[in-house]
Amino acid sequence: MKEKVISNQSLPSTAEPIQRLVQELNKLPGIGPKNAQRLAYYLLRAPEEQTQLLAETIASIKQQTTLCPICFNVTDTDHCLICRNPERDQTKVCIVEQPQDILALEHTRIYKGLYHVLHGAISPTEGIGANDIRITELLERLKNNLVAEVILATNTNLEGEQTALYLNHLISPLDIKLTRLAQGLPFGTELEYADDITITRAFEGRQGF
Amino acid sequence: MSRPRTYQTEAIIIKKIKLGEADRILTLYTPILGKIQAVAKGIRRPKSKLAGHLELLTHSTVSFARGRNLDTIIGSQTIDSFLPLKSDLSLTAYALYTTELINQFTAEYIENRPLFQLLLETLHQLCLTDNRELLLRHFELHLFKEIGYRPQLRECVVCRQPLQPVLNYFSSDTGGMLCPDCRLTQTIVYPLSVDALKVLRWLQDNDFITISRLKIEPKLSHELERVSRNYIKYLLEREVKSVAWLDSLKQSTQLI
């Protein structure tokens, strides 16, 4: 990823601490120089408790969180809430690319099993291979014979597909049921605009009505 | 006369990077404009109308609106999504290798229709042939030709004498073959067997349909791969990233 070019010339007469804050905010994704400037001046005028709280909160996400040693979700305790919950189905593991994906899946409350976060997807052109994401840890985890089903919930783009195909190649010899989330037409869209692959998969995965 | 505000072209999507909340910057290879970059807005949302038509390794008709900096993609329709290619792990790896080479070896806005045709044809053939390694070598040799690095395989690049059917040497620095007498003029040379040289010439002079009948031994295939990769590395002055993945896949599929 290219470093953002941050020009100092646009702020020749600003106090140095503000300029530093603008530069730091500018590094955040989706925040351009003008946005950064607006946020910096907002924080300058905001009550001190608010800025203090923000600073502490930002510091705490690094200091007080770690990755769950089982599923590699982000957690503030030794094991994450999902892995600790005895009511979750221990025989199912759903594989996702990033912790945010768990939030999306949990929001539906339809899945009661466990997760495994890969922290990325295989992307040959960016030089990300199988050893750069948490695949080895997954295979270790599957060795304990507790898991009966692995659900692949990687993204449906090329990298996610590659990762799913690669995991299929590794997991299929293990005698574990392997499933992939269904692919097809998203809710609330029009068929007219759907692409060939989506329509092909939607036909292949059609179900009795 | 001012340029029209929108334009349309066919294109193969060869690279994508994330931008902002749900956008991407795509790199596309087109027949007339050569390599171009454009913003695809909202493409990472599940309901994006464009996403499926603008995935990597897709041949699409794409419409653009001119922007101040980058142009924006306003419409897209798939011509060929190369589904067999995307459903096979190693095929995807081969295809990504070809698009990475195109991306590395080309500059923006330089028309090269034969190169576009070569890429398109190679992606089509990948879906059809089992002779993948040979197809890759064919792609590489013709890529060299289209970008002006066609290696000299007929005569020695130093003494200009026709090569004899003995063990000759390939030199990346001079972009061609050296006869046994001249090989010491270059510091880094790779020995190339008579058979390998014959295959390279055959690949250089023919289209893939003619070549696809050829069956070669793994050892010979390996020799060709090594020479070609060294030449690519020399020309680019860096590693091709997707090679590592391609190799690890080849290894792991051999093991199982």
Side-chain angles (χ1 to χ4, degrees), chain B residues 10-252:
Chain B
E10 61 174 307
I12 297 168
I13 289 78
I14 60 173
K15 193 182 173 205
K16 56 179 187 184
I17 46 176
K18 287 182 183 177
L19 176 74
E21 169 106 8
D23 309 341
R24 277 188 198 284
I25 298 177
L26 300 180
T27 308
L28 308 100
Y29 200 71
T30 67
I32 299 169
L33 298 162
K35 182 169 83 174
I36 53 173
Q37 284 198 324
V39 180
K41 296 221 184 256
I43 194 178
R44 281 151 60 205
R45 295 207 171 90
K47 288 182 185 174
S48 164
K49 283 183 284 190
L50 295 174
H53 301 284
L54 294 171
E55 187 49 72
L56 281 178
L57 307 179
T58 304
H59 181 206
S60 297
T61 307
V62 188
S63 313
F64 302 84
R66 287 191 201 282
R68 246 180 314 176
N69 201 345
L70 282 171
D71 295 350
T72 304
I73 295 175
I74 49 173
S76 178
Q77 175 68 48
T78 307
I79 300 171
D80 193 340
S81 54
F82 300 112
L83 188 56
L85 220 152
K86 288 169 187 164
S87 322
D88 182 300
L89 195 54
S90 63
L91 273 186
T92 318
Y94 280 99
L96 286 174
Y97 173 76
T98 62
T99 51
E100 189 183 352
L101 284 188
I102 294 275
N103 188 35
Q104 300 272 22
F105 273 114
T106 54
E108 286 184 30
Y109 296 107
I110 303 213
E111 177 181 343
N112 196 336
R113 275 171 193 262
L115 190 55
F116 179 84
Q117 282 307 326
L118 176 68
L119 176 63
L120 191 58
E121 183 61 24
T122 304
L123 293 179
H124 275 299
Q125 288 297 334
L126 267 176
C127 301
L128 302 172
T129 181
D130 292 328
N131 218 339
R132 296 169 188 176
E133 286 295 328
L134 203 62
L135 176 59
L136 226 51
R137 299 292 90 76
H138 175 264
F139 172 78
E140 289 161 350
L141 275 170
H142 286 260
L143 170 73
F144 297 148
K145 181 181 130 199
E146 300 306 343
I147 55 174
Y149 289 112
R150 185 180 194 266
Q152 170 58 269
L153 302 173
R154 296 278 161 192
E155 56 186 40
C156 169
V157 286
V158 174
C159 67
R160 299 284 163 196
Q161 295 302 311
L163 293 167
Q164 300 304 312
V166 290
L167 186 72
N168 290 291
Y169 297 84
F170 185 82
S171 147
S172 299
D173 288 344
T174 54
M177 298 299 297
L178 297 171
C179 66
D181 295 337
C182 299
R183 78 178 171 110
L184 290 175
T185 59
Q186 294 296 322
T187 43
I188 305 169
V189 293
Y190 305 97
L192 199 66
S193 66
V194 178
D195 282 347
L197 183 59
K198 275 185 191 162
V199 175
L200 285 182
R201 285 177 181 169
W202 175 249
L203 287 170
Q204 202 172 46
D205 296 342
N206 291 285
D207 59 17
F208 186 72
I209 307 292
T210 321
I211 292 152
S212 57
R213 295 191 303 262
L214 191 68
K215 291 273 176 286
I216 58 171
E217 296 284 309
K219 191 174 161 238
L220 186 57
S221 171
H222 204 76
E223 187 182 353
L224 296 172
E225 179 184 76
R226 200 179 67 122
V227 168
S228 193
R229 279 191 186 174
N230 281 318
Y231 191 41
I232 289 171
K233 204 169 137 188
Y234 170 81
L235 294 174
L236 286 176
E237 298 181 350
R238 67 178 123 178
E239 298 281 347
V240 181
K241 284 182 188 159
S242 44
V243 161
W245 174 243
L246 198 58
D247 285 349
S248 76
L249 265 189
K250 276 190 214 165
Q251 267 180 2
S252 74

Side-chain angles (χ1 to χ4, degrees), chain A residues 43 46-59:
Chain A
L43 289 171
E48 192 165 353
E49 304 89 78
Q50 195 186 344
T51 53
Q52 197 63 39
L53 188 65
L54 180 65
E56 281 165 13
T57 317
I58 290 174

Side-chain angles (χ1 to χ4, degrees), chain A residues 48-178:
Chain A
E48 192 165 353
E49 304 89 78
Q50 195 186 344
T51 53
Q52 197 63 39
L53 188 65
L54 180 65
E56 281 165 13
T57 317
I58 290 174
S60 73
I61 60 166
K62 280 284 182 190
Q63 286 157 8
Q64 294 172 21
T65 64
T66 161
L67 294 182
C68 171
I70 300 176
C71 70
F72 298 97
N73 189 9
V74 180
T75 174
D76 55 352
T77 48
D78 341 333
H79 292 84
C80 76
L81 286 171
I82 296 172
C83 290
R84 270 191 304 170
N85 186 346
E87 283 170 23
R88 310 268 328 191
D89 184 348
Q90 307 285 324
T91 65
K92 289 190 175 70
V93 174
C94 179
I95 299 180
V96 295
E97 287 181 22
Q98 46 177 6
Q100 299 95 296
D101 296 339
I102 295 187
L103 300 181
L105 294 174
E106 281 298 292
H107 196 251
T108 65
R109 295 189 195 157
I110 203 168
Y111 176 65
K112 300 281 181 243
L114 304 176
Y115 291 96
H116 184 92
V117 186
L118 293 172
H119 288 275
I122 292 169
S123 174
T125 41
E126 286 167 49
I128 301 173
N131 296 330
D132 303 308
I133 57 176
R134 298 196 184 265
I135 288 183
T136 334
E137 290 89 340
L138 172 68
L139 294 176
E140 264 317 299
R141 191 176 167 190
L142 296 180
K143 276 185 189 161
N144 66 11
N145 290 329
L146 275 176
V147 179
E149 180 179 357
V150 170
I151 303 158
L152 297 172
T154 51
N155 288 335
T156 58
N157 54 24
L158 196 86
E159 291 82 1
E161 284 286 291
Q162 282 256 286
T163 313
L165 287 166
Y166 186 68
L167 287 173
N168 175 36
H169 165 78
L170 293 176
I171 296 173
S172 51
L174 296 183
D175 195 30
I176 293 174
K177 185 178 171 193
L178 189 67

